[in-house]
Amino acid sequence: MRDEKNLSEIQIEEQKIIDNKELNIWEALTPVIILMGLLAYNIFYADGAWLGDYSNQYILLMGGVIAAIVGFLNKVSLQRMAAEVWENWKSVFVPIMILFLVGALAGTWLVSGIIPAMVYYGLQVLSPGIFLPASVIIAAIISIATGSSWTTSATVGIALVGIGTALGIPSGMIAGAVISGAYFGDKMSPLSDTTNLAPAMAGTDLFTHIKYMGYTTVPTFTITLIVFAILSSTIDTTGNADVSNLLTSIQNTFHISPWLFIVPAVVIIMILLKTKPLVALGTGVVLAGVFAFIFQADVLAGLAESKFQSIINSILTDTQVQTDNEKLTELFSSGGMNGMLWTIFLIICAMVFGGVMDAIGALAKLTKALLSVASSIFGLFASTVISCLGLNTIASDQYLAIVIPGKMFKKAYEDKGLAPENLSRTLEDSGTVTSVLIPWNTCGAYQSGVLGVGVGEYFIYAVFNYLSPIMTLIFAAFKIKIRQLATK
């Protein structure tokens, strides 16, 4: 039986928070504990292959089944759980389409010579000594302009990983630099959806929120740049001699021309003009196919029986361009849309677990439990941070990591006499930027899939992302820039 009075919904920006009075804290924690245990076993004792190539996906589904059993025992119908899972799936439909297009983009930009051209010119401009901090700054600028960390990674991020890999810089470092810069821009840009969502949840205005975020974000970004400058000065790269050989090898394989940059320029301009990402990326795929016919006829002829088939293969399946340099041959490969399937399946399975947990009221229960122990101002900030981190892990979605704590903690901040921008800043410092550190979160899955670097590889180098919640807690502990509500 199901008692409708035990469930309530609050509609916020198309996100629902469901509370279940029947559920206790231990029941809410049970699926989480089991899920974390299974994931830990898979990672540390089975080398990520306990159940095969899709182990994490199967484990997330198992967690969803356990959460469903808990919900059923607490009078939540399967229909409600299925409805929430469906809502979650609908929310990631566009991101999944974007992932498919990014796979197609990577393949067509490879065979058209766009990525090789980026690598070719980038090797001559970005020296190893400045590469990492320069990557942080470039990614930050593009992300502020577009308001999207995802778009930044899908365009300049892919190019920077290619250039840095050719220089002999570890891919984890490069991805960490790109992600650090991309999420700085995503967090601070007035065009970003999360930058607009956080103040809406907390009850402040956009530009007050951005200005107040600057207090914690600028020091964090500065430290990030210093860290990458130190890393750039200490890493052992391949040197100028190897770079010269790489340049020759690229020229021998592809027809390199500045005209190739018309395609990424068109895509970036379309994004700046607020063209829908699917349209912008789709245009990039079509234009790259045309440019491949014009500039890379020899490359296409060597990949399949017909040039047209080579283009189709680059969009759909694995493609590798052979060069006379082993390092470049490995670099100039793409999985096309097929290469994105693992990431897409991970997102789908994560949405199953997050949807069921939301439907049974577990997410609201866990957030309320954190709120109940926040007796001091620092405790309130710490509870908000933990709640955001937990929801990024459990719900696998950064929007829920902003919406649920934003709704649940809003009155607590008011009761402590704290201005709403304290909450909105904390939501961004801990909800927006840490999503990319969770492998099964939509953001972590996307970034690792697009950049071709696992979360485990770039985690330690995503300095800006894990330093941001630490910085907000330091400010709270020492009561730095903790704005009070104006007295009437």
Side-chain angles (χ1 to χ4, degrees):
M1 294 178 64
R2 177 180 168 214
D3 183 2
E4 292 287 349
K5 294 180 180 179
N6 289 325
L7 299 172
S8 59
E9 295 180 358
I10 305 170
Q11 188 78 25
I12 306 172
E13 301 283 331
E14 298 184 355
Q15 300 278 2
K16 289 180 288 186
I17 300 173
I18 299 174
D19 192 14
N20 186 350
K21 298 175 183 177
E22 292 284 335
L23 196 72
N24 64 50
I25 185 63
W26 293 111
E27 289 170 327
L29 278 171
T30 297
V32 178
I33 294 171
I34 294 175
L35 177 70
M36 294 298 105
L38 292 175
L39 287 170
Y41 177 83
N42 181 51
I43 294 169
F44 297 111
Y45 295 100
D47 295 325
W50 177 35
L51 301 172
D53 292 339
Y54 293 90
S55 293
N56 285 345
Q57 288 87 337
Y58 294 140
I59 290 171
L60 284 165
L61 290 177
M62 291 163 61
V65 171
I66 293 166
I69 293 171
V70 171
F72 183 75
L73 295 175
N74 284 275
K75 304 179 182 179
V76 182
S77 72
L78 292 176
Q79 182 181 3
R80 173 174 284 277
M81 289 185 269
E84 286 304 312
V85 170
W86 176 244
E87 289 298 320
N88 274 13
W89 282 347
K90 287 197 297 184
S91 72
V92 296
F93 176 77
V94 172
I96 285 174
M97 292 300 101
I98 289 174
L99 274 171
F100 273 127
L101 277 178
V102 167
L105 196 78
T108 53
W109 282 24
L110 170 62
V111 299
S112 64
I114 295 169
I115 290 176
M118 289 178 174
V119 174
Y120 180 82
Y121 291 112
L123 286 172
Q124 299 176 68
V125 176
L126 294 172
S127 67
I130 65 167
F131 181 81
L132 292 175
S135 295
V136 175
I137 293 171
I138 291 169
I141 292 171
I142 297 298
S143 190
I144 287 174
T146 62
S148 172
S149 55
W150 284 33
T151 300
T152 301
S153 297
T155 51
V156 298
I158 293 174
L160 289 170
V161 170
I163 296 166
T165 302
L167 287 169
I169 300 172
S171 58
M173 286 187 186
I174 308 165
V178 169
I179 288 169
S180 291
Y183 274 83
F184 166 80
D186 195 326
K187 180 182 172 186
M188 296 298 289
S189 173
L191 304 177
S192 169
D193 47 6
T194 57
T195 308
N196 283 272
L197 181 60
M201 292 301 97
T204 187
D205 66 272
L206 174 63
F207 291 102
T208 298
H209 167 62
I210 292 174
K211 180 181 178 181
Y212 202 63
M213 274 200 300
Y215 294 126
T216 56
T217 303
V218 171
T220 304
F221 189 69
T222 302
I223 294 171
T224 300
L225 284 174
I226 293 171
V227 169
F228 280 109
I230 294 171
L231 286 174
S232 282
S233 67
T234 57
I235 56 176
D236 183 21
T237 59
T238 53
N240 293 329
D242 285 340
V243 169
S244 178
N245 292 335
L246 293 173
L247 295 176
T248 301
S249 183
I250 294 172
Q251 280 187 314
N252 291 339
T253 307
F254 296 91
H255 176 72
I256 302 299
S257 168
W259 291 108
L260 292 168
F261 290 102
I262 291 175
V263 178
V266 168
V267 173
I268 291 174
I269 289 170
M270 290 180 72
I271 293 168
L272 291 174
L273 293 175
K274 292 303 173 183
T275 306
K276 291 182 178 180
L278 290 175
V279 176
L281 294 175
T283 301
V285 172
V286 173
L287 286 178
V290 173
F291 274 54
F293 276 106
I294 297 172
F295 291 97
Q296 312 300 340
D298 292 341
V299 172
L300 294 180
L303 292 174
E305 294 181 359
S306 71
K307 296 175 184 178
F308 182 74
Q309 186 62 47
S310 295
I311 296 293
I312 297 301
N313 289 346
S314 71
I315 292 173
L316 298 176
T317 64
D318 297 340
T319 299
Q320 187 171 61
V321 178
Q322 296 295 322
T323 71
D324 55 13
N325 184 291
E326 183 179 348
K327 183 186 295 184
L328 285 178
T329 298
E330 183 179 349
L331 176 62
F332 294 151
S333 62
S334 169
M337 289 186 176
N338 182 64
M340 292 295 165
L341 288 178
W342 190 95
T343 300
I344 289 168
F345 290 157
L346 185 68
I347 291 173
I348 290 172
C349 294
M351 291 299 98
V352 171
F353 179 73
V356 176
M357 286 290 286
D358 192 14
I360 68 175
L363 300 185
K365 182 67 66 175
L366 294 173
T367 304
K368 283 185 174 181
L370 285 171
L371 182 57
S372 67
V373 298
S375 57
S376 64
I377 289 179
F378 176 78
L380 184 58
F381 277 86
S383 295
T384 308
V385 169
I386 293 170
S387 179
C388 291
L389 291 172
L391 284 164
N392 264 327
T393 303
I394 299 167
S396 307
D397 183 85
Q398 68 172 345
Y399 297 107
L400 287 177
I402 292 173
V403 170
I404 294 177
K407 178 62 181 178
M408 296 296 183
F409 284 85
K410 183 179 179 180
K411 188 175 186 305
Y413 276 75
E414 293 175 356
D415 291 343
K416 294 286 186 183
L418 299 173
E421 48 266 35
N422 291 286
L423 174 57
S424 65
R425 182 178 72 184
T426 308
L427 292 175
E428 288 253 61
D429 281 344
S430 50
T432 299
V433 299
T434 61
S435 57
V436 74
L437 303 177
I438 312 299
W440 54 89
N441 187 286
T442 52
C443 295
Y446 175 88
Q447 296 291 349
S448 61
V450 168
L451 298 176
V453 183
V455 176
E457 295 178 72
Y458 70 64
F459 185 97
I460 190 65
Y461 300 110
V463 181
F464 178 81
N465 300 73
Y466 61 73
L467 189 58
S468 290
I470 295 174
M471 186 65 71
T472 205
L473 289 178
I474 290 173
F475 270 59
F478 292 96
K479 298 182 180 179
I480 304 170
K481 295 298 180 181
I482 305 301
R483 184 172 295 169
Q484 303 294 311
L485 283 170
T487 54
K488 296 183 180 180

